Each structure stands twice: as structure tokens, then as C-alpha cells.
Amino acid sequence: IENARLFEKVQHLAVTDPLTELYNRRQFFELARREFYRSRRYDDEMALIMLDVDDLKLVNDTYGHQAGDQLIQFIGEQCRSQLRQADVAARYAADEFIIALPGTDLEGCLQVARRIKERITAGFAIDSSTVLPVAVTIGVSSLDESCFSLEMLIARADKALYVAKAAGKNRIGGCSGGSFKVYD
């Protein structure tokens, strides 16, 4: 029994980000690639969210890295709270998150992105007396006939994120059929 528990713990550690308890990047790619090819095979919808924390370095420099870590944990919790069991969320990089939404079109993806952004930007309490305003920039993309790989879907969401950042941060950018638009 103890060996089974240890094996389960090692398995969990191998696929999750220790700070957020979301999937790690490697596990995200494994699960999202499976969903991507399933969506292509059955002509189903799939969308993707990339989220970047605006000015995390400022939080780290002002309040310390522990506060920055708490903020990353908070963002992971807010993402998780808005997702279905079928969705695949991961910490993509230091201050970036990625979410695959199987069975979801661009409009549904935008709704999820807006809910997540709203929850995060409502503020983050460092302690009982300090609430920080938080800003995030989000890029979304959806599967269409011109998208041939998960990497292409991710690249489109990433570019949409940078289009939104260029428009002033704390916004949502989207990609549909290879064209980019800033929504919020």
C-alpha cells in the first residue's frame, strides 16, 4: 500500500506544476495534443487561451518573491475555478498560463477568458490590509480548417496575446482564421 501511495505521489509530481497544482507544460502538451487530434478527426470545436500576468516583476520587486508566488497561485486558482473537467490548464512559463478548451468555439472561449480576467482583476489580497490590483493580458484562438497542429493553435493564441499587449495590456486579443482582433 505504501509503495502504491509513493508511486501515485511521484506520478502527481511528474505532471503538475508545484506552485499552482495545474498541469506542467509537458503534461499539457500530451493531453492537449490528444484533444487537438480528436477535435480534428471528429470535426469538433477546440479553442485555446494564453494568459500572461502583466508586471509580475513589479510585484516581486515591491512586495517580494513570496508575494509573486502567492499571486501565481491565486491566478492558477482563478483559472481552475472557471473550467470544466474536460479542459486542460497548465502553467506554461513563469507568469504565463495556457488552457485548452475542447468542444469550445471562439465565442465560448472569449466568455471563459472574460470570466477568468474578471476574477483575477478584481484584486489580490497579499494580507488582510493589502489588496493589489492585478492585470492580465489574454490571447485566444480557435481551431479552424487552416490550423493543422496544436503548435499552430498555440502560436495564434500567443500572437493574439501580444497584439493585445501592444494595444495597452490588460486586454483580450483573439485570432480567428488567421486574423487578429483586440476585444477588451
Side-chain angles (χ1 to χ4, degrees):
I1 293 173
E2 183 63 26
N3 283 344
R5 277 193 209 122
L6 287 173
F7 179 76
E8 186 177 312
K9 184 176 181 176
V10 168
Q11 287 294 96
H12 177 76
L13 291 171
V15 299
T16 57
D17 171 66
L19 190 59
T20 63
E21 290 293 313
L22 296 174
Y23 287 121
N24 61 27
R25 185 179 175 134
R26 182 175 31 113
Q27 183 69 4
F28 171 82
F29 273 96
E30 184 175 318
L31 297 173
R33 188 167 281 114
R34 192 175 310 150
E35 287 298 331
F36 178 85
Y37 287 116
R38 187 198 58 76
S39 296
R40 294 276 301 175
R41 182 179 320 119
Y42 295 109
D43 197 27
D44 197 6
E45 303 281 353
M46 182 173 173
L48 197 109
I49 295 172
M50 294 226 29
L51 181 148
D52 182 75
V53 182
D54 295 334
D55 303 317
L56 178 63
K57 183 176 178 352
L58 183 61
V59 172
N60 285 336
D61 291 348
T62 306
Y63 299 97
H65 285 84
Q66 185 176 10
D69 285 351
Q70 290 171 346
L71 176 58
I72 293 295
Q73 289 171 329
F74 168 77
I75 291 171
E77 291 165 8
Q78 301 317 305
C79 289
R80 190 180 307 105
S81 74
Q82 297 303 306
L83 301 178
R84 306 165 299 177
Q85 189 170 354
D87 300 332
V88 181
R91 185 169 175 203
Y92 193 68
D95 63 347
E96 290 184 337
F97 295 80
I98 190 166
I99 303 166
L101 302 164
T104 304
D105 62 7
L106 186 65
E107 188 55 42
C109 184
L110 280 167
Q111 289 175 9
V112 173
R114 286 179 176 127
R115 286 195 316 261
I116 291 170
K117 182 176 175 281
E118 186 177 289
R119 289 184 65 110
I120 292 169
T121 59
F124 164 67
I126 291 179
D127 55 42
S128 59
S129 63
T130 309
V131 177
L132 293 180
V134 180
V136 293
T137 302
I138 298 175
V140 300
S141 63
S142 61
L143 182 60
D144 61 31
E145 63 279 346
S146 68
C147 186
F148 299 106
S149 69
L150 176 63
E151 288 75 13
M152 183 181 275
L153 189 62
I154 292 170
R156 288 177 175 184
D158 196 37
K159 175 134 192 221
L161 185 149
Y162 283 97
V163 167
K165 269 199 187 289
K169 295 185 180 179
N170 202 31
R171 300 174 187 268
I172 298 174
C175 176
S176 178
S179 63
F180 297 89
K181 177 179 178 182
V182 176
Y183 294 95
D184 300 329

